Amino acid sequence: MAERLVFLTGHLARARLERLLAGLGETGFAWEIIDVGVKVAALMSEDIIKRRLTLTGDADRVILPGRFRGNIEQLSNHFGVPFVRGPDEIADLPAFLGRAGQPPDLSRHDMRIFAEIVDAPMLSIEALVARARMLTAAGADVIDLGCLPETLFPLLAEAVHELKAQGFLVSVDSASVDELSIGARAGADYLLSLDENTLPLAFDHEATVVLIPSTPGDLDSLGRAIEAAQKAGVVFIADPVLDPIHFGFAASLGRFIEARRRWPDLELLMGTGNLTELTDADSSGVTAILAGLCSELQIRNVLAVHVSPHTVRTIEEHDIARRVMLAARTDGALPRGYHAGLLQIHDRKPFPASIEDIEAWAAEVRDANFRIVAAEDGIHIFNGKGHAVARDAFELFAGLGVEADGAHAFYLGAELMKAEIAWRLGKRYVQDEPLGWGVAAPAAEADRTRLAEAGHTLRAKKER
């Protein structure tokens, strides 16, 4: 039998929810909508649901609005049926329900992130440990100590020892055989980057080595290094090397494809910094493309670098990209609808409410509180006294009648400008909530068990 889902909603959203579910056509589940008797669905409480909801015996799950604030475990126990939060917006229900009503599992990944500290020789041991903690919190698996050409690194051995003592996996990345030897003797877990000529230094150590071509772009030299490592019993990862755009980028993509063809079972690594750092483009999109390439070619190691300010969130971006790509590959699906972390400037569905929906909502409002919504035609603001639309927030202020109320004017000005930014960029706007910038600016974790406290303007009014 098909699973039976019950959707809880309020007066204003019921018609829209019904249209959306009916528009799905034939589905793998049966559904029912129950209006619990509140105007705004997100304001229903646990007590209201317990008092007003009656479930028939064939309900398998109850889908709550995403903005419901309450303890869903208590509701599940009370009714003996699992309660789950759906998405915040009705428009996002199709993607949510496309996975049998369950959110995607992004707890897994199959890619190791090496996070390079490029200026490691210039930092103290304390600063290196602090940086390592930050990178690990962002998603890094291995802390890569980047050695600089013609720059001494007198604390290299001590740095490896201390980071290892603190529980970090450590790699040493250098073109100097002496520095690689120091790192190996200090107990580094990985050595980057050796070739057929420098490989022998790893024969007496247990570190995993990353092999590169001895001549740029020469896969045959990488092949000779691979054969030598295999013969010597050295554990290794191969890196065909990704080059920057206009300096061999297209050819280097071909090398990765050819490397996977030649060596279908070898561990490969891709250094993404030559694209993220050396291209003036938002790094999230670049990272998504490279992570997708890694997913298709089964490249399970990436070296990520943060030098330029525009790549400040590169580790977080790599972390969410590897999780999304694995989930999509496992599902045999496109990497769409899994997570919005890499959608930083634009949103796939920036305007979840249609103009008709907003007009219907505005017609229902009777109180003086302003509601602000962004839609395809601009910024809507309405209350029981009227409804205005504009594409410039400044055009709306004169008709609001709040000139004598400084706190309210400030609040409305801030919200309207936020709505205008969202409208111009094609981002989703929600009144009283910050704009979502994905992993570029992580939002504070919301407490979904209780309603938010009153905002500054409302508190000020109550205190008068």
Side-chain angles (χ1 to χ4, degrees), residues 372 410-419 429-433:
I372 303 172
F410 178 85
Y411 164 77
L412 290 174
E415 285 296 318
L416 287 169
M417 184 51 64
K418 189 172 71 176
Y429 167 80
V430 179
Q431 189 171 351
D432 294 326
E433 294 186 16

Side-chain angles (χ1 to χ4, degrees), residues 288-342:
I289 296 299
L290 294 179
L293 180 66
C294 288
S295 181
E296 286 200 4
L297 296 179
Q298 295 290 299
I299 298 171
R300 289 185 284 267
N301 303 273
V302 292
L303 174 64
V305 185
H306 160 45
V307 179
S308 172
H310 86 286
T311 63
V312 66
R313 298 289 181 187
T314 189
I315 304 302
E316 291 91 340
E317 290 166 357
H318 281 75
D319 182 42
I320 193 61
R322 63 180 173 176
R323 297 173 189 276
V324 165
M325 294 304 168
L326 176 60
R329 192 176 77 232
T330 300
D331 290 344
L334 296 170
R336 300 181 68 195
Y338 283 87
H339 195 280
L342 299 178

Side-chain angles (χ1 to χ4, degrees), residues 380-416:
H380 291 246
I381 183 166
F382 55 89
N383 61 9
K385 298 180 180 179
H387 180 181
V389 186
R391 297 186 172 187
D392 183 337
F394 288 95
E395 294 179 9
L396 295 168
F397 184 77
L400 301 180
V402 293
E403 293 84 354
D405 188 343
H408 202 187
F410 178 85
Y411 164 77
L412 290 174
E415 285 296 318
L416 287 169

